[in-house]
């Protein structure tokens, strides 16, 4: 048994920036990788990424060693990205803390070996004593090497799919320590190299490798079918060796080492090898197989001018605190390889020891010719892992990843507009798939992030969540024959009558007078003149009835008084149409309010308008939306620095009437000037009429949520211009509503980025979002007694 104490045999002489100078004279440039989320890539994406790798590497200097290291480690969720203040935040935090998942780190090392010759010796001691100043002899070469590697990294980063950043010295030191400390936490230990195993602290290690052309049976590809999500009518893709990446639910690392060799030199060596094998091919089938493989490689080199001959090595180092577990992990890896028609090599004794030591970046130039396969660079790059864990943003709404159901923060507001220019969103889902549940989840988190919410609801889905914040919410419910307490014409003093306020009132009147035609600038100016004249003459008691009376009293002189033409302001039309809303008109009750009650909304951050009773009345619904709009403009939109969201739930019911759609489009236009967003909820995109107004709404909606839809997603794809991979993602949605971890899956697209996310919540959150059924009624019954929603939810859960 050999014991290695790292402090006595430290492999690093010096670190300058991200350049590491090793004790064996090697110079290593170290980068940290940021890869796309698993499941987010299409077949074409995998091909494009493969092409980027090839273009970046093919021109690197002969003799360069490229070492890509992907480390996968079991860790427990520490809850740092989950807020922990409110009742529902605490419940979520406590529910997910400690949940185990596989954390992936990707590193890319470019090594300029001190000795460029092909390694002849089988084993090299990586911990031999350093020659003093060995790296200083290479300054000029190092500079040239650094320049060519920078160019390669720039090319990869410009692909926009992958991103690599230079590592800092503390990161390089941490990785070195973690590697040789055997991924043990909380203590330092020695490496114990035994014949039968490698033991470091509490962990036992083993290795499997692809170290010869004979390991490969069939062809390799940039991607393969993902059997888990593929169905009869669509194919879902994954990277060629993704099965041993995040999908291998064990502690392991994948080392992929590429030696960029001289093409001519290798062609000569291979020709010589063919000559030798031709002489001996009669002495066994193994020789014939090798001969065929080498002839195939040479044919590819001769045919493709772009080909770049390389020697490659791939190994998987895996570990576990239980030694007996290693054989189980090895079996899992072998099964994955078998599916790829690859037969791995299992090193023992000395071999295993050197595979472990030489898989550290400073020593990866030490593998001998017996440890590598010879192939073309394009072939080797098919064995690259190109995706990683779901990425959590710094702030955002919590969803769950598809891999381990751990919380992921997604910034769907995008303050700096990196991904989206308009933050409006739409939720699509048939009845019973949980659209209101999802909306509750999104809005509740926005609300707790100090975003002001206005919900225009035709279904009564938000009362329970609102009641968790008794001092911050107001629910304005329409009841037959009553008004909402909104008087858009009320002003407390002259200073309220700003140009913006006049513009809003003019639009309000013109919408009430709407003839179905677009209004002209002259008509808008005429209405503003009427309003100014009214406010100068009438000093108190402003309302629609008062304005109506004012115009009626001056019907014969008004046109001359305000100096406009009859074609721009028809007194007759004004009095005829608005007569429905005043005195004993059919809808006069909507405006029978003297003092404006909107001040009640001013200090509320959650305002719910429940219009369930009015959903089938075109006229009242249309006027209600106009009144609500005027109230929003005077209260919520006064402070443009404050973030706000307006949500239209059960939107299809509101869209039955054309003038309502136009009214909603106004919100979309107005929201651009505000620090806000609009959300709509629809059962199907077909509920949006196929016209220019709807097209404008969809164009300004850049965050899309879709839950499962058994009828398919083709219309969604067509109307939203979704990619074929977006459609495959939608078709792969699977819910799990049984067992301990119930979840629904949803498709989320933010700008051009899309993936499938899950929604799994603790009992408290589930109870808060329930919108109907016996459970919801039971919670509301307890609330009626206690008048405290938190108590009601806890009582319900514990009962």
């Amino acid at each position: 048994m050999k014991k290695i104490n790292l402090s006595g045999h430290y492999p690093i002489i010096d670190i300058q920036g991200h350049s590491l100078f090793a004790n064996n004279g090697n110079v290593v440039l170290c980068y940290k990788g940021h890869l796309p989320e698993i499941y987010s890539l299409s077949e074409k994406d995998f091909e494009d990424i493969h092409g980027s790798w090839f273009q970046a590497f093919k021109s690197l200097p002969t003799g360069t060693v490229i070492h890509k290291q992907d480390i996968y480690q079991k860790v427990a969720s520490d809850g740092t990205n989950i807020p922990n203040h409110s009742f529902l935040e605490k419940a979520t935090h406590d529910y997910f803390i400690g949940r185990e998942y596989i954390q992936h780190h990707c590193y890319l090392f470019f090594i300029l070996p001190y000795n460029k010759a092909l390694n002849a010796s089988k084993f090299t001691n990586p911990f031999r004593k350093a020659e003093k100043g060995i790296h200083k002899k290479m300054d000029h070469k190092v500079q040239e090497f650094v320049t060519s590697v920078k160019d390669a990294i720039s090319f990869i980063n410009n692909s926009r799919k992958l991103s690599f950043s230079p590592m800092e010295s503390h990161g390089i030191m941490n990785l070195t320590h973690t590697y040789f400390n055997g991924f043990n936490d909380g203590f330092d230990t020695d490496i114990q190299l035994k014949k039968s195993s490698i033991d470091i602290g509490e962990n036992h290690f083993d290795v499997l490798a692809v170290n010869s052309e004979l390991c490969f049976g069939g062809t390799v590809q940039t991607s393969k079918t993902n059997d888990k999500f593929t169905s009869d009518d669509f194919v879902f893709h994954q990277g060629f060796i993704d099965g041993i990446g995040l999908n291998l639910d064990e502690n392991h690392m994948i080392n992929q080492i590429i030696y960029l060799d001289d093409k001519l030199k290798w062609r000569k060596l291979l020709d010589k090898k063919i000559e030798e094998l031709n002489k001996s091919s009669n002495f066994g089938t193994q020789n014939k197989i090798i001969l065929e493989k080498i002839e195939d490689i040479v044919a590819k080199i001769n045919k493709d001018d772009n080909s770049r001959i390389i020697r490659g090595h791939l190994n998987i180092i895996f570990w576990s605190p239980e030694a007996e577990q290693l054989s189980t992990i090895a079996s899992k890896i072998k099964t994955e390889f078998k599916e790829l028609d690859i037969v791995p090599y299992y090193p023992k004794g000395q071999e295993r020891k050197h595979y472990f030591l030489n898989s550290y970046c400073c020593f990866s130039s030490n593998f001998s010719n017996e440890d590598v396969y010879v192939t073309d660079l394009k072939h080797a790059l098919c064995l690259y892992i190109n995706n990683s864990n779901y990425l959590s943003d710094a702030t955002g709404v919590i969803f769950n990843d598809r891999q381990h159901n751990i919380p992921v923060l997604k910034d769907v507001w995008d303050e700096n507009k990196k991904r989206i220019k308009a933050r409006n969103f739409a939720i699509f889902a048939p009845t019973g798939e949980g659209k209101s549940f999802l909306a509750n989840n999104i809005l509740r988190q926005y609300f707790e992030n100090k975003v002001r919410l206005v919900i225009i609801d035709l279904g009564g889905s938000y009362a329970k969540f609102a009641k968790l914040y008794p001092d911050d919410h107001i629910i304005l419910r329409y009841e037959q024959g009553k008004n909402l307490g909104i008087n858009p014409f009320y002003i407390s003093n002259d200073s309220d009558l700003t140009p913006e306020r006049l513009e809003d009132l003019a639009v309000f009147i013109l919408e009430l007078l709407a003839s179905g035609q677009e209004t002209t600038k002259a008509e808008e100016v005429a209405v503003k003149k009427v309003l100014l004249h009214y406010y100068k003459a009438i000093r108190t008691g402003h309302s629609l009835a008062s304005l109506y009376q004012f115009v009626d009293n001056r019907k014969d002189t008004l046109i001359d008084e305000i100096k406009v033409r009859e074609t721009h302001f028809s007194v007759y039309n004004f009095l005829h149409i608005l007569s429905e809303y005043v005195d004993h008109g059919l809808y006069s009750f909507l405006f029978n309010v003297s003092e404006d009650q909107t001040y009640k909304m001013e200090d509320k951050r959650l305002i719910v308008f429940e219009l369930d009773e009015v959903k089938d009345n075109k006229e009242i619904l249309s006027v209600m939306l106009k009144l609500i709009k005027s109230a929003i403009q005077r209260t919520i939109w006064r402070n443009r620095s404050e973030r706000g969201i307006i949500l239209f739930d059960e939107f299809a019911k509101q869209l039955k009437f054309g003038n309502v759609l136009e009214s909603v489009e106004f919100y979309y236009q107005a929201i651009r000037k505000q620090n806000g967003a609009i959300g709509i909820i629809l059962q199907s995109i077909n509920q949006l009429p196929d016209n220019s107004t709807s097209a404008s709404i969809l164009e300004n909606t850049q965050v899309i949520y879709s839950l499962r839809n058994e009828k398919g997603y083709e219309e969604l794809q067509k109307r939203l211009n979704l990619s074929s991979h977006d459609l495959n993602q939608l078709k792969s949605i699977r819910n799990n509503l049984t067992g301990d971890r119930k979840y629904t899956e949803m498709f989320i697209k933010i700008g051009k980025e899309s993936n499938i996310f899950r929604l799994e919540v603790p009992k408290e959150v589930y109870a808060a979002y329930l919108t109907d059924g016996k459970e919801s009624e039971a919670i509301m019954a307890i609330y009626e007694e206690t008048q405290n929603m938190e108590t009601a939810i806890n009582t319900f859960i514990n009962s």
Side-chain angles (χ1 to χ4, degrees):
M1 181 181 88
K2 185 174 181 185
K3 189 186 274 194
I4 295 175
N5 180 304
L6 189 66
S7 57
H9 300 79
Y10 205 64
I12 300 172
I13 293 176
D14 189 17
I15 298 174
Q16 295 173 17
H18 68 293
S19 304
L20 183 166
F21 296 89
N23 67 359
N24 57 5
N26 287 353
V27 179
V28 186
L29 302 184
C30 311
Y31 292 87
K32 178 98 171 66
H34 313 277
L35 308 182
E37 292 178 339
I38 189 168
Y39 308 129
S40 69
L41 299 174
S42 67
E43 182 180 18
K44 186 180 181 302
D45 291 331
F46 284 114
E47 283 172 20
D48 291 347
I49 289 170
H50 179 269
S52 296
W53 283 122
F54 178 73
Q55 291 297 331
F57 290 170
K58 71 172 186 180
S59 304
L60 284 169
T62 296
T64 301
V65 179
I66 304 163
H67 181 174
K68 184 167 179 286
Q69 188 171 67
D70 292 275
I71 299 173
Y72 300 88
Q73 205 173 351
K74 284 184 181 179
V75 292
S77 176
D78 59 7
T80 48
N81 63 341
I82 311 174
N84 191 18
H85 308 293
S86 73
F87 169 58
L88 296 184
E89 281 176 346
K90 282 176 183 163
T92 305
H93 180 274
D94 295 348
Y95 180 71
F96 285 111
I97 202 159
R99 180 168 291 192
E100 198 174 81
Y101 69 101
I102 297 287
Q103 189 179 63
H104 173 213
H105 291 291
C106 170
Y107 302 98
L108 188 60
F109 306 105
F110 296 88
I111 299 113
L112 177 63
Y114 181 63
N115 173 15
K116 277 192 178 184
L118 297 176
N119 291 318
S121 66
K122 180 65 179 160
F123 299 125
T124 308
N125 175 12
F127 289 110
R128 69 169 190 267
K129 288 289 178 191
E131 298 170 37
K132 282 188 178 174
I134 198 167
H135 61 282
K136 288 181 181 166
K137 298 174 193 169
M138 303 175 65
D139 282 350
H140 177 63
K141 282 182 185 174
V142 170
Q143 211 43 57
E144 286 179 354
F145 176 67
V146 168
T147 304
S148 53
V149 169
K150 269 187 183 170
D151 289 347
I153 288 294
S154 293
F155 189 91
I156 293 165
N157 288 348
N158 284 338
S159 73
R160 303 234 171 147
K161 289 275 185 227
L162 311 171
S163 166
F164 284 84
S165 53
M167 288 178 73
E168 293 179 8
S169 59
H170 67 85
I172 297 168
M173 301 286 274
N174 282 347
L175 179 62
T176 303
H177 178 263
T178 304
Y179 187 95
F180 289 112
N181 201 48
F183 301 90
N184 286 285
D185 254 353
F187 61 88
D188 287 349
T189 186
D190 297 323
I191 304 172
Q192 296 185 344
L193 302 168
K194 302 174 186 174
K195 276 196 173 179
S196 58
S197 66
I198 298 169
D199 301 334
I200 310 175
E202 292 172 353
N203 291 329
H204 308 275
F205 287 76
D206 212 339
V207 186
L208 281 167
V210 176
N211 67 342
S212 152
E213 302 86 44
L214 290 173
C215 294
F216 297 99
T219 55
V220 296
Q221 301 148 247
T222 54
S223 66
K224 68 184 279 282
T225 300
N226 179 319
D227 295 329
K228 185 177 176 185
F229 297 122
T230 295
S231 187
D232 293 343
D233 60 336
F234 72 99
V235 177
F236 203 92
H237 281 264
Q238 65 179 51
F240 188 65
I241 68 161
D242 278 5
I244 53 169
L246 270 177
N247 291 328
L248 177 65
D249 207 11
E250 303 289 352
N251 291 315
H252 67 291
M253 80 171 83
I254 302 171
N255 294 291
Q256 288 152 303
I257 301 161
I258 292 173
Y259 300 86
L260 295 177
D261 290 323
D262 185 331
K263 190 172 177 176
L264 294 171
K265 187 175 182 178
W266 267 101
R267 195 181 285 173
K268 282 176 190 168
L269 279 168
L270 290 171
D271 286 341
K272 194 176 176 187
K273 212 167 184 183
I274 288 170
E275 201 180 311
E276 287 168 5
L277 284 164
N278 268 323
K279 290 173 187 171
S280 63
S281 62
N282 295 329
F283 295 104
T285 52
Q286 188 77 339
N287 285 357
K288 273 186 180 173
I289 293 167
I290 297 170
L291 174 64
E292 281 169 19
K293 283 186 185 289
I294 293 173
E295 282 176 337
D296 186 45
I297 292 165
V298 171
K300 278 179 187 165
I301 297 166
N302 293 334
K303 202 159 102 183
D304 185 358
D305 288 339
N306 261 336
S307 72
R308 178 80 202 248
I309 273 290
I310 61 108
R311 288 172 301 141
H313 173 89
L314 183 149
N315 71 54
I316 299 159
I317 295 171
F318 48 99
W319 66 94
S320 173
E322 291 91 33
E324 60 276 11
Q325 189 63 24
L326 293 178
S327 59
T328 308
I329 301 170
S331 295
K332 285 185 184 180
I333 297 167
K334 285 174 191 169
T335 303
E336 286 298 334
F337 272 135
K338 193 174 183 182
E339 284 200 14
L340 304 175
D341 205 4
I342 294 174
V343 180
Y345 163 70
Y346 189 21
K348 295 284 182 93
Q350 281 281 87
E351 291 268 307
R352 182 198 284 127
K353 176 177 83 176
H354 283 277
Y355 273 38
F356 177 81
L357 296 177
N358 291 332
S359 292
Y360 170 67
C361 62
C362 289
F363 307 140
S364 38
S365 60
N366 287 351
F367 284 105
S368 76
N369 282 340
E370 291 173 44
D371 302 314
V372 295
Y373 55 86
V374 180
T375 187
D376 177 64
L377 177 58
K378 285 180 182 172
H379 176 287
L381 292 172
C382 287
L383 305 179
Y384 264 25
I385 296 259
N386 292 311
N387 51 38
S388 187
N389 298 106
Y390 276 59
L391 304 168
S392 235
D393 295 321
T395 60
V397 176
I398 295 173
F399 300 100
N400 303 91
D401 81 341
R402 198 178 200 178
Q403 194 75 15
H404 306 98
N405 281 31
I406 57 162
V408 179
L409 275 175
K410 276 292 150 187
D411 183 3
V412 285
W413 188 267
D414 200 6
E415 190 71 51
N416 301 319
K417 299 194 173 176
K418 288 181 182 175
R419 291 188 282 220
I420 48 176
K421 290 182 174 65
R423 50 182 70 103
N424 304 323
F425 64 92
I427 298 173
F428 298 100
T431 304
E433 288 293 340
K435 17 177 213 304
S436 293
F437 194 93
L438 173 59
N440 268 283
N441 182 59
I442 296 165
L443 295 179
R444 188 269 296 177
Q445 293 183 60
Y446 267 136
F447 175 77
E448 291 180 340
N449 272 313
K450 306 290 181 273
V451 177
R452 206 163 186 185
L453 304 181
V454 178
I455 300 169
I456 300 164
D457 181 23
L458 272 63
S461 303
Y462 302 92
K464 198 175 318 108
F465 136 58
K467 286 182 169 70
L468 277 167
Y469 313 96
D471 301 329
D472 283 328
H473 87 273
I474 182 168
I475 296 174
L476 298 165
R477 188 177 284 108
Y478 170 77
E479 293 173 41
Q480 186 61 43
K482 293 184 181 176
N483 59 62
L484 281 178
I486 299 170
N487 176 7
F489 298 91
Y490 174 81
I491 60 168
S492 52
N493 55 57
D494 285 351
S495 63
D496 279 357
L497 202 64
T498 59
E500 288 86 0
R501 183 73 186 278
L502 263 178
E503 292 277 359
D504 294 341
L505 283 172
V507 170
F508 181 78
I509 290 168
L510 286 164
E511 282 183 344
L512 284 179
L513 295 170
S515 59
Q517 296 168 345
E518 274 195 40
T519 55
T520 64
K521 181 74 177 169
E523 287 169 326
E524 288 171 22
V525 171
V527 171
K528 280 185 269 187
K529 282 186 171 182
V530 171
L531 285 165
L532 268 174
H533 197 44
Y534 163 67
Y535 279 106
K536 275 180 186 166
I538 309 297
R539 307 303 294 165
T540 57
H542 303 115
S543 67
L544 183 64
S546 158
L547 174 64
Y548 184 89
Q549 198 60 54
F550 172 78
V551 173
D552 193 25
N553 291 343
R554 288 167 170 74
K555 56 179 173 279
D556 299 326
T557 59
L558 186 64
I559 294 297
D560 291 333
E561 286 172 22
I562 62 172
K563 295 183 172 57
V564 296
R565 291 181 179 176
E566 183 76 35
T567 52
H568 297 148
F569 182 79
S570 166
V571 174
Y572 172 77
N573 277 354
F574 182 91
L575 295 173
H576 174 57
I577 294 168
L578 295 193
S579 64
E580 279 208 298
Y581 304 111
V582 297
D583 298 333
H584 302 294
L586 187 59
Y587 301 114
S588 60
F589 63 87
L590 292 172
F591 292 92
N592 275 346
V593 53
S594 52
E595 249 196 50
D596 183 33
Q597 305 290 306
T598 52
Y599 68 88
K600 292 179 181 173
M601 292 163 36
E602 285 181 16
D603 63 337
K604 303 298 181 193
R605 284 187 31 255
L606 173 53
I607 302 152
V608 183
F609 293 100
E610 285 193 354
L611 309 181
D612 198 37
E613 283 195 34
V614 76
K615 61 182 178 231
D616 296 318
N617 188 312
K618 170 183 175 180
E619 193 61 40
I620 299 179
L621 182 58
S622 180
V623 174
M624 281 289 176
L625 287 174
K626 292 178 180 69
L627 285 168
I628 290 166
K629 183 167 71 186
S630 78
I632 289 169
Q633 283 168 319
R634 275 173 299 133
T635 57
I636 295 152
W637 283 356
R638 272 195 323 195
N639 177 4
R640 289 199 176 172
S641 64
E642 185 179 48
R643 297 186 297 163
I645 288 175
I646 300 167
L647 177 80
F648 293 91
D649 196 358
E650 294 290 352
F651 192 49
K653 291 174 183 171
Q654 304 180 27
L655 288 181
K656 284 191 294 188
F657 319 118
N659 58 347
V660 174
L661 184 62
E662 277 147 32
S663 182
V664 170
E665 190 192 14
F666 171 86
Y667 282 94
Y668 275 85
Q669 289 162 352
I671 205 88
R672 289 176 191 170
K673 300 174 197 167
Q674 313 298 329
N675 190 10
I678 292 179
I680 55 174
I681 301 180
L682 286 166
Q683 290 182 19
S684 158
I685 199 160
N686 289 337
Q687 292 175 323
L688 265 181
D690 204 348
N691 59 26
S692 59
T693 310
S694 296
S696 165
I697 286 173
L698 290 176
E699 205 173 296
N700 286 301
T701 302
Q702 294 189 2
V703 183
I704 302 295
Y705 303 88
S706 176
L707 293 152
R708 193 176 70 111
N709 191 337
E710 288 178 343
K711 291 178 182 171
Y713 309 92
E714 278 69 18
E715 278 300 311
L716 202 63
Q717 183 193 25
K718 192 169 87 182
R719 298 275 296 273
L720 295 172
N721 294 321
L722 300 180
S723 70
S724 57
H725 186 58
D726 290 337
L727 185 61
N728 286 344
Q729 285 176 325
L730 281 158
K731 287 179 175 179
S732 76
I733 289 175
R734 311 269 189 275
N735 294 340
N736 176 25
L737 303 175
T738 57
D740 292 337
R741 292 188 184 177
K742 299 181 182 70
Y743 60 80
T744 51
E745 287 194 334
M746 77 207 74
F747 168 83
I748 304 179
K749 183 156 193 170
I750 307 167
K752 289 179 180 171
E753 296 175 13
S754 66
N755 212 339
I756 298 296
F757 291 82
R758 287 178 177 171
L759 186 54
E760 181 189 343
V761 296
K763 291 174 190 171
E764 293 89 341
V765 176
Y766 176 75
Y769 296 169
L770 279 178
T771 56
D772 50 29
K774 285 181 181 174
E775 291 171 313
S776 182
E777 286 168 20
I779 295 165
M780 289 311 287
I782 303 166
Y783 172 77
E784 292 307 324
E785 278 177 41
T786 61
Q787 289 299 301
N788 183 308
M789 187 53 75
E790 201 174 309
T791 305
I793 288 170
N794 280 328
T795 306
F796 171 77
I797 289 168
N798 295 324
S799 66

